[in-house]
Amino acid sequence: MSPRVSIVIPAYNEATRLVHSLPKIIEYLNDEWPGAEIIVVDDGSADDTAAVAERHLASTGNVTARVIRNDPNRGKGHAVRTGLLAAHAPIALFSDADLSTPISETPKLVTPIEAGECDVAFGSRALDRSLIGVHQPWQREQGGRVFNLIVRAATGLAFWDTQCGFKAFRMSVCRPLIEAAAIDRFAFDVELLYLAQRAGLRLSEIPVRWDNDAESKISLVSDSFKMVSQVLSIRERARRGDYDKAIKTTRLNTEDEELLERQV
């Protein structure tokens, strides 16, 4: 039987974190989502990420699990897309390996998709800041706000937080968009949301619990420039028509599904 939900964990040099996070994910899914699927995507790690993941996923109870190895390192965006496209469930959710958003927040994203209320649901730290337990340093929070303004201006996405590492997708309509996405690193989230919006899918930004990880690998200065450059590249790809075929396919798939639902 196909799982109800697939949980994708992109991992680059995350051996230390996975030791703590994978048991939590396995326990939660067995209790709340038996039959779910876990996919860890090792993005060309230089440490024991894959070995640690395989050891912890060797016995997962009523949850299926596997490790996919990407080599060489391609970036978080590529790892996320690899995992999403390998998912067997109708809904796939990716979560950061550090579980900054607790895995127990899964129903907030998956349930609205199952209920037919939206096609893409994504966690937000901005809609209800009382849910943030451990805040980022002030400079990083302000940098995030500036980046959000740039995203809004460049893409027309009217959301408050596009970067939270907790997003879920209805795969029957999102798959062509995920296949067409091209950004492998920082701004891959923006690209996926932009494509979903262009295709006319229903997007829902949902407040989730979140705690900053002091060991974050993002550099406020150097990575911010890369993120802005990647966001601007989305506009250039759109201008060239790189996304047109995937957007058209998604719209047709959505129309077909709506027609079938009306007939039922």
Side-chain angles (χ1 to χ4, degrees):
M1 186 174 70
S2 177
R4 284 175 62 194
V5 62
S6 296
I7 305 296
V8 174
I9 312 294
Y12 174 64
N13 293 342
E14 297 284 17
T16 301
R17 283 175 172 146
L18 290 177
V19 167
H20 303 287
S21 61
L22 282 179
K24 293 178 181 177
I25 296 170
I26 293 167
E27 180 181 10
Y28 171 77
L29 292 178
N30 271 291
D31 289 342
E32 304 295 336
W33 300 82
E37 176 183 47
I38 302 172
I39 303 173
V40 175
V41 183
D42 173 27
D43 187 29
S45 298
D47 68 358
D48 295 330
T49 289
V52 168
E54 288 169 349
R55 184 167 68 249
H56 281 279
L57 297 180
S59 178
T60 55
N62 293 318
V63 173
T64 61
R66 56 195 158 123
V67 177
I68 298 175
R69 299 192 186 206
N70 283 345
D71 192 31
N73 170 261
R74 292 283 299 273
K76 181 180 176 182
H78 186 271
V80 167
R81 293 197 303 273
T82 297
L84 293 177
L85 293 174
H88 291 140
I91 300 172
L93 177 151
F94 78 81
S95 169
D96 286 342
D98 61 8
L99 295 184
S100 291
T101 296
I103 195 65
S104 57
E105 297 288 85
T106 295
K108 288 186 177 180
L109 271 58
V110 173
T111 302
I113 298 178
E114 284 190 325
E117 298 169 5
C118 60
D119 304 299
V120 179
F122 54 103
S124 175
R125 299 159 292 186
L127 292 182
D128 184 353
R129 298 185 65 79
S130 70
L131 295 176
I132 299 177
V134 180
H135 285 258
Q136 295 175 306
W138 182 85
Q139 296 91 335
R140 192 179 294 277
E141 285 195 348
Q142 299 310 307
R145 291 189 176 101
V146 172
F147 179 71
N148 180 258
L149 292 174
I150 293 171
V151 168
R152 284 169 167 254
T155 65
L157 289 170
F159 303 112
W160 293 103
D161 184 5
T162 58
Q163 300 309 112
C164 181
F166 203 68
K167 294 180 172 66
F169 304 83
R170 184 159 70 95
M171 293 302 298
S172 61
V173 292
C174 291
R175 187 173 295 273
L177 304 177
I178 296 168
E179 291 173 340
I183 294 179
D184 286 341
R185 297 194 182 271
F186 304 105
F188 77 94
D189 310 66
V190 177
E191 184 181 36
L192 290 175
L193 295 179
Y194 172 78
L195 290 176
Q197 180 166 279
R198 281 280 308 274
L201 298 185
R202 299 161 298 170
L203 282 69
S204 181
E205 182 178 13
I206 297 170
V208 294
R209 293 164 54 208
W210 188 83
D211 289 293
N212 180 58
D213 183 349
E215 303 299 320
S216 173
K217 301 173 183 177
I218 300 293
S219 168
L220 180 61
V221 177
S222 62
D223 292 340
S224 294
F225 288 106
K226 295 174 185 176
M227 292 172 76
V228 171
S229 174
Q230 290 167 20
V231 169
L232 295 178
S233 76
I234 295 171
R235 290 182 55 173
E236 177 59 23
R237 288 188 174 94
R239 186 192 65 79
R240 293 198 307 258
D242 293 356
Y243 303 130
D244 290 357
K245 181 178 179 180
I247 290 171
K248 181 178 179 180
T249 300
T250 298
R251 287 174 175 166
L252 290 173
N253 290 347
T254 304
E255 291 173 0
D256 289 344
E257 287 193 6
E258 291 175 348
L259 180 60
L260 286 173
E261 289 176 1
R262 287 196 295 269
Q263 290 176 345
V264 173

